[in-house]
Coordinates of all heavy atoms in Angstrom, one line a residue:
A254 N 47.7 6.4 142.5 CA 49.1 6.1 142.7 C 49.3 5.1 143.9 O 48.5 5.1 144.8 CB 49.9 7.3 142.9
D259 N 50.1 -2.6 150.4 CA 48.7 -3.0 150.3 C 48.1 -2.5 149.0 O 47.4 -3.3 148.3 CB 47.9 -2.4 151.4 CG 48.2 -3.0 152.8 OD1 48.6 -4.2 152.8 OD2 47.9 -2.4 153.8
F265 N 48.0 -6.1 141.9 CA 48.4 -7.4 141.4 C 47.3 -8.4 141.4 O 47.1 -9.1 140.4 CB 49.5 -8.0 142.3 CG 50.9 -7.6 142.0 CD1 51.2 -6.4 141.3 CD2 52.0 -8.3 142.3 CE1 52.5 -6.0 141.0 CE2 53.3 -8.0 142.0 CZ 53.5 -6.8 141.3
F273 N 48.7 -16.5 142.6 CA 49.6 -16.5 143.7 C 50.5 -17.8 143.6 O 49.9 -18.9 143.4 CB 48.9 -16.5 145.0 CG 49.8 -16.5 146.2 CD1 50.3 -15.3 146.7 CD2 50.2 -17.7 146.8 CE1 51.2 -15.3 147.8 CE2 51.1 -17.7 147.9 CZ 51.6 -16.5 148.4
K277 N 59.7 -20.5 147.9 CA 60.5 -21.5 148.7 C 61.4 -20.7 149.6 O 61.7 -19.6 149.4 CB 61.2 -22.4 147.7 CG 60.3 -23.2 146.9 CD 61.1 -24.1 145.9 CE 60.1 -24.9 145.1 NZ 60.6 -25.3 143.8
I288 N 58.1 -6.4 157.3 CA 57.7 -6.0 155.9 C 58.0 -7.1 155.0 O 57.2 -7.6 154.1 CB 58.3 -4.7 155.5 CG1 57.7 -3.6 156.4 CG2 58.0 -4.4 154.0 CD1 58.4 -2.2 156.2
A298 N 56.0 -15.8 145.0 CA 56.8 -15.7 143.8 C 55.9 -15.5 142.6 O 56.0 -16.1 141.6 CB 57.6 -17.0 143.6
L309 N 63.1 -12.5 143.2 CA 63.0 -12.7 144.6 C 63.6 -14.1 144.9 O 63.1 -15.1 144.4 CB 61.6 -12.6 145.1 CG 61.4 -12.5 146.6 CD1 61.9 -11.1 147.1 CD2 59.9 -12.5 146.9
F323 N 67.5 -11.3 149.6 CA 66.1 -11.5 149.1 C 65.9 -11.1 147.7 O 64.9 -11.5 147.1 CB 65.1 -10.8 150.1 CG 65.2 -9.3 150.1 CD1 64.3 -8.6 149.3 CD2 66.1 -8.7 150.9 CE1 64.3 -7.2 149.4 CE2 66.1 -7.3 151.0 CZ 65.2 -6.5 150.2
T339 N 66.9 -6.2 161.9 CA 66.2 -4.9 161.6 C 65.6 -4.9 160.2 O 65.7 -5.9 159.5 CB 67.2 -3.7 161.7 OG1 68.1 -3.8 160.6 CG2 67.9 -3.7 163.0
E340 N 64.9 -3.9 159.8 CA 64.4 -3.8 158.4 C 65.4 -3.1 157.5 O 65.1 -2.8 156.4 CB 63.1 -3.0 158.4 CG 61.9 -3.7 159.1 CD 61.4 -4.8 158.4 OE1 61.5 -4.9 157.2 OE2 60.9 -5.8 159.1
I342 N 68.2 -2.5 154.8 CA 68.6 -3.2 153.6 C 70.0 -2.8 153.1 O 70.4 -1.7 153.3 CB 67.6 -3.1 152.5 CG1 67.3 -1.6 152.1 CG2 66.3 -3.8 152.9 CD1 66.4 -1.5 150.9
Y343 N 70.6 -3.8 152.5 CA 72.0 -3.6 152.0 C 72.2 -4.2 150.6 O 71.3 -5.0 150.2 CB 73.0 -4.4 153.0 CG 73.0 -4.0 154.4 CD1 72.0 -4.3 155.3 CD2 74.0 -3.2 154.9 CE1 72.0 -3.9 156.6 CE2 74.0 -2.7 156.2 CZ 73.0 -3.1 157.0 OH 73.0 -2.7 158.3
F355 N 82.8 -8.6 145.9 CA 81.4 -9.1 145.9 C 80.8 -9.3 147.3 O 79.6 -9.1 147.5 CB 81.3 -10.4 145.1 CG 79.9 -10.9 144.9 CD1 79.1 -10.3 143.9 CD2 79.5 -12.0 145.6 CE1 77.8 -10.8 143.7 CE2 78.2 -12.4 145.4 CZ 77.4 -11.9 144.4
L361 N 71.7 0.8 152.3 CA 71.0 1.6 151.3 C 70.4 2.9 151.8 O 70.1 3.8 151.1 CB 70.0 0.7 150.5 CG 70.6 -0.2 149.4 CD1 69.6 -1.1 148.8 CD2 71.3 0.7 148.4
N362 N 70.1 2.9 153.1 CA 69.5 4.1 153.7 C 68.1 4.5 153.2 O 67.8 5.7 153.1 CB 70.5 5.3 153.7 CG 71.7 5.0 154.5 OD1 71.6 4.5 155.6 ND2 72.8 5.4 154.0
G364 N 63.9 2.6 152.8 CA 63.1 1.5 153.3 C 62.9 0.3 152.4 O 62.9 0.4 151.2
Q375 N 59.1 -3.3 138.5 CA 60.1 -3.4 137.4 C 60.0 -4.8 136.8 O 60.0 -5.0 135.6 CB 61.5 -3.2 138.0 CG 62.6 -3.6 137.0 CD 64.0 -3.4 137.6 OE1 64.4 -2.3 137.7 NE2 64.6 -4.5 138.0
K389 N 46.3 0.7 119.4 CA 45.3 1.2 118.5 C 44.6 2.5 119.0 O 43.9 3.2 118.3 CB 44.2 0.2 118.3 CG 44.7 -1.1 117.6 CD 43.6 -2.1 117.3 CE 44.0 -3.3 116.6 NZ 45.1 -3.8 116.2
N393 N 46.6 6.6 128.1 CA 46.3 7.6 129.2 C 47.2 7.2 130.4 O 46.6 6.7 131.4 CB 44.8 7.6 129.5 CG 44.5 8.7 130.5 OD1 45.3 9.7 130.7 ND2 43.4 8.5 131.2
K401 N 61.4 6.7 142.5 CA 61.6 5.8 143.6 C 63.0 5.1 143.4 O 63.6 5.1 142.3 CB 60.5 4.7 143.6 CG 59.1 5.3 143.9 CD 59.1 6.1 145.1 CE 57.7 6.7 145.3 NZ 57.5 7.5 146.5
N432 N 59.3 0.3 125.2 CA 58.2 -0.6 125.1 C 57.2 -0.4 126.2 O 57.5 0.1 127.3 CB 58.7 -2.1 125.2 CG 59.6 -2.4 124.0 OD1 59.5 -1.8 123.0 ND2 60.5 -3.3 124.2
F435 N 51.8 -4.7 128.7 CA 50.4 -4.9 128.8 C 50.1 -6.1 129.7 O 50.5 -7.2 129.4 CB 49.7 -5.2 127.4 CG 49.8 -3.9 126.5 CD1 50.8 -3.7 125.6 CD2 48.8 -3.0 126.6 CE1 50.9 -2.6 124.9 CE2 48.8 -1.8 125.8 CZ 49.9 -1.7 125.0
N439 N 48.2 -15.3 132.1 CA 47.7 -16.5 131.4 C 46.6 -17.1 132.3 O 46.5 -17.2 133.4 CB 48.7 -17.5 131.2 CG 49.8 -16.9 130.2 OD1 49.5 -15.9 129.5 ND2 51.0 -17.5 130.2

Side-chain angles (χ1 to χ4, degrees):
D259 289 338
F265 273 26
F273 183 84
K277 296 177 180 155
I288 294 173
L309 193 66
F323 66 96
T339 69
E340 292 289 332
I342 57 175
Y343 297 80
F355 187 78
L361 282 173
N362 292 320
Q375 172 183 282
K389 296 184 180 6
N393 183 23
K401 301 300 181 179
N432 297 332
F435 292 93
N439 298 340

